[in-house]
Amino acid sequence: MAHRHETIIVTGGSTGIGLAICEHFLSQGCDVINLSRRPAELQDSRLHNIELDLSDRNATAEVAADVAQRHEVTGLVHNAGLIRAAELEDVALEDLDYLTQVHIGAAITLSKAVIPQMKQRGFGRIVLITSRAALGLQTRTNYSATKAGMMGMARTWALELGPHGITVNTVAPGPIAATEMFERVIPDGSPKLEELARSIPVRRVGLPDDVARAVGFLCEPDNGFITGQTLMVCGGASLGSIAL
Ligand code: NAP
């Protein structure tokens, strides 16, 4: 495969889906800049780990400006994310503020920093990782609200940036095992895992590589005719479930 000389920012590349996304782009010959609080533990000279807490608005702006100044960024994958589970009666608005900053505010700040150079180049790829839970899931008020917000935002950016050769899409995973997020909800070896797999049309939960391949596809330079879309990578878990 011909190697791509591109630089992709990946947020939350230290674990789970983000780590698989970093590995995917590194395997294609891209430079990868991982922004997360912990480093992605991969041995690759093209991987640049930058420690960043995306809930810190000022730190995010500083890092975004610095990265944009030092790198020719061709792609941004905003993958970092977290759940603050609560039934509606117990939802804390502080959690909404936190998730809004990590899921939406950080995406805006990072995109604003790299868009000028993408426009100048006439090429760019932005992918936001949202969730099937944006369609609804118990105890996920703050999570589904902010993930659904990312989808609306991506559609707006697709309209604004399309004329500049920049596509913007969202990838919405269903349950993805081998991630810290999933294992906090369904611990490894739990009987709940089989029950969940049985409820999914393809009869298995997803793996980080399932998502990484979808992200890679949307970022390929040839795939410039797909923008403003949400790709559900969920084994059919987003489909209707009425059994007749
Ligand atoms: P994960 O293993 O928990 O990874 C979450 C990543 O987000 C970590 O790399 C973490 O890095 C980063 N992150 C969280 N808070 C951060 C902060 N304040 N600043 C910087 N980085 C932060 O879970 P995952 O499943 O791979 O999640 C990746 C994305 O997929 C998330 O957006 C999640 O909502 C989405 N998703 C996951 C599933 C699933 O079933 N796993 C389903 C649907 C959607 P540090 O802790 O090192 O900072």
Side-chain angles (χ1 to χ4, degrees):
M1 183 192 298
H3 273 194
R4 289 158 58 181
H5 300 288
E6 292 181 43
T7 300
I8 318 277
I9 297 174
V10 179
T11 67
S14 56
T15 58
I17 294 169
L19 185 61
I21 294 170
C22 289
E23 283 177 312
H24 177 89
F25 285 116
L26 290 169
S27 76
Q28 303 242 314
C30 300
D31 273 52
V32 174
I33 301 165
N34 167 47
L35 308 179
S36 51
R37 292 166 298 186
R38 294 165 292 168
E41 289 183 357
L42 297 172
Q43 296 307 317
D44 196 311
S45 59
R46 289 187 316 276
L47 171 70
H48 315 276
N49 282 306
I50 299 177
E51 205 177 291
L52 174 62
D53 184 343
L54 292 160
S55 72
D56 182 333
R57 212 172 255 185
N58 295 331
T60 303
E62 268 174 42
V63 168
D66 183 55
V67 168
Q69 201 194 4
R70 289 194 291 121
H71 297 271
E72 291 281 311
V73 179
T74 50
L76 166 66
V77 181
H78 183 44
N79 156 82
L82 72 154
I83 298 166
R84 293 267 169 94
E87 299 264 357
L88 175 56
E89 291 91 327
D90 301 318
V91 166
L93 290 178
E94 293 73 26
D95 288 342
L96 177 63
D97 290 343
Y98 192 92
L99 265 62
T100 300
Q101 168 54 25
V102 174
H103 293 163
I104 295 178
I108 293 174
T109 302
L110 293 168
S111 297
K112 279 175 70 174
V114 297
I115 278 164
Q117 51 164 292
M118 286 182 176
K119 280 187 172 174
Q120 208 171 13
R121 202 180 300 119
F123 174 80
R125 295 282 178 264
I126 298 177
V127 175
L128 310 179
I129 305 299
T130 63
S131 174
R132 191 224 61 88
L135 302 177
L137 185 62
Q138 292 92 330
T139 76
R140 299 290 192 266
T141 293
N142 290 331
Y143 186 71
S144 62
T146 50
K147 291 294 191 180
M150 292 168 82
M151 292 175 182
M153 190 165 79
R155 292 167 67 92
T156 296
W157 293 358
L159 291 170
E160 293 183 9
L161 300 174
H164 302 280
I166 304 168
T167 64
V168 188
N169 292 288
T170 67
V171 168
I176 306 295
T179 62
E180 291 180 4
M181 180 177 280
F182 183 89
E183 282 168 7
R184 270 192 291 269
V185 181
I186 300 188
D188 210 16
S190 156
K192 273 189 174 173
L193 180 59
E194 246 181 64
E195 203 181 307
L196 174 63
R198 269 199 306 275
S199 74
I200 296 173
V202 302
R203 298 290 184 267
R204 70 169 177 92
V205 295
L207 289 170
D209 279 342
D210 290 316
V211 183
R213 281 192 299 275
V215 172
F217 173 78
L218 291 170
C219 289
E220 278 174 23
D222 283 347
N223 291 334
F225 206 56
I226 305 171
T227 195
Q229 304 303 306
T230 292
L231 180 51
M232 298 270 176
V233 181
C234 64
S238 59
L239 305 174
S241 60
I242 294 175
L244 293 176

